[in-house]
């Protein structure tokens, strides 16, 4: 008597060419998941992620798109279905961080960030709610800054607070679908997005704030993402997981 092997799971990782996104794509692929590596600006970086996955024996393709445009994201889900047969996991890492005091922030900057972080998350979450297969998982990405009240971060924290609210409600709206919805909220993590423009003394101070006395790594965050995406994370649903080494 032969035992049929379960079909491989399929993941879409938005922002898959970025620091946390690429680490998540690689970690999911290492567990046997086929990955669609989404990118908005850098086809070259996305191609490198795909090349690393395929070199290790995994399956991956890169696909472009604006996360805030429904047609682009529908095409992304179509690509996953055409290449791999469906979608089981969506990891929504795409986002921008633009900082400044409330009194000084230009509203065009505010709108640009909220278009990506809030509208983009909503568009991708809406498609995930419609198209994830039973047993699926949607994993959004927020930030521990929502709990830290750091000056200069109000607009960014507001955008990620919206992500958390959407996550908690959507998890309840998908009752009966066997789909989990969670948010991972990293603390200071050594990604290009985080490190850009920060003096070394600021980076050192943020690293020292954690009881573990270091910055997080993209791989630290990816390990939590892969847990939520896999069978061991099925009983975690409708939660915000603060992955920050104890900073908050």
């Amino acid at each position: 008597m032969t035992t049929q092997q379960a079909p491989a799971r399929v993941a879409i990782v938005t922002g898959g060419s970025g620091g946390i996104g690429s680490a998540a794509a690689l970690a999911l692929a290492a567990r046997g998941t086929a990955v669609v590596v989404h990118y908005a600006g850098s086809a070259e970086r996305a191609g490198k992620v795909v090349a690393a996955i395929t070199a290790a024996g995994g399956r991956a393709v890169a696909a472009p798109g604006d996360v805030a445009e429904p047609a682009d994201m529908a095409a992304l889900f179509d690509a996953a279905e055409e290449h791999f047969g469906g979608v089981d996991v969506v990891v929504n890492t795409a986002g921008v961080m633009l900082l400044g005091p409330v009194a000084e922030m230009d509203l065009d900057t505010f709108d640009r960030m909220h278009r990506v972080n809030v509208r983009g998350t909503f568009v991708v979450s809406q498609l995930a709610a419609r198209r994830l297969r039973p047993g699926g998982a949607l994993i959004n990405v927020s930030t521990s800054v929502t709990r830290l009240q750091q000056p200069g971060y109000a607009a960014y924290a507001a955008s990620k607070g919206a992500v958390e609210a959407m996550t908690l409600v959507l998890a309840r709206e998908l009752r009966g679908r066997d789909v989990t919805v969670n948010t991972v909220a990293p603390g200071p993590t050594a990604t290009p997005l985080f490190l850009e423009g920060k003096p070394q003394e600021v980076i050192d101070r943020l690293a020292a704030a954690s009881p573990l006395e270091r910055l997080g790594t993209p791989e630290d965050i990816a390990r939590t993402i892969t847990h939520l995406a896999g069978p061991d994370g099925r009983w975690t649903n409708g939660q915000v997981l603060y992955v920050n080494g104890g900073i908050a």
Side-chain angles (χ1 to χ4, degrees):
M1 180 178 177
T2 59
T3 302
Q4 282 193 332
Q5 190 174 16
R9 285 165 73 79
V10 179
I12 292 172
V13 180
T14 73
S17 63
I20 291 174
S22 61
L26 290 164
L28 287 164
R31 295 192 175 195
T33 302
V35 183
V36 177
V37 179
H38 159 266
Y39 64 94
S42 180
E44 181 181 0
R45 287 202 309 267
K48 288 179 179 178
V49 177
V50 170
I53 290 171
T54 55
R59 297 187 298 158
V61 296
D66 179 346
V67 290
E69 286 299 328
D72 284 10
M73 292 300 96
L76 185 68
F77 277 74
D78 290 345
E81 293 181 358
E82 289 164 9
H83 284 280
F84 303 124
V87 184
D88 303 287
V89 177
V90 173
V91 183
N92 209 12
T93 77
V96 295
M97 180 171 63
L98 305 171
L99 306 181
V102 171
E104 299 173 14
M105 178 167 278
D106 181 82
L107 286 178
D108 287 342
T109 300
F110 179 92
D111 288 344
R112 177 188 160 204
M113 181 163 55
H114 281 248
R115 183 180 185 276
V116 176
N117 294 359
V118 181
R119 178 184 164 112
T121 297
F122 188 89
V123 167
V124 174
S125 295
Q126 186 176 68
L127 285 162
R130 296 170 178 171
R131 298 177 67 165
L132 278 170
R133 294 187 286 206
L138 168 62
I139 303 153
N140 290 322
V141 175
S142 177
T143 171
S144 292
V145 168
T146 56
R147 299 172 64 172
L148 296 177
Q149 298 85 48
Q150 289 180 253
Y153 283 79
Y156 178 65
S159 74
K160 292 302 191 175
V163 169
E164 294 180 9
M166 284 189 277
T167 296
L168 300 181
V169 173
L170 181 57
R172 278 76 189 175
E173 290 181 347
L174 294 185
R175 172 184 290 272
R177 284 280 309 281
D178 190 26
V179 170
T180 62
V181 188
N182 294 287
T183 283
V184 173
T189 305
T191 66
L193 177 68
F194 173 80
L195 296 173
E196 183 179 2
K198 289 185 174 67
Q200 188 60 46
E201 60 268 22
V202 172
I203 294 169
D204 293 343
R205 174 171 53 79
L206 290 168
S210 165
L212 299 179
E213 297 185 323
R214 67 172 177 86
L215 294 176
T217 68
E219 291 73 24
D220 289 325
I221 313 307
R223 280 187 280 272
T224 299
I225 289 171
T226 54
H227 171 78
L228 293 171
D232 292 340
R234 295 305 301 166
W235 195 236
T236 304
N237 189 31
Q239 304 298 316
V240 178
L241 282 73
Y242 293 91
V243 187
N244 57 34
I247 197 171

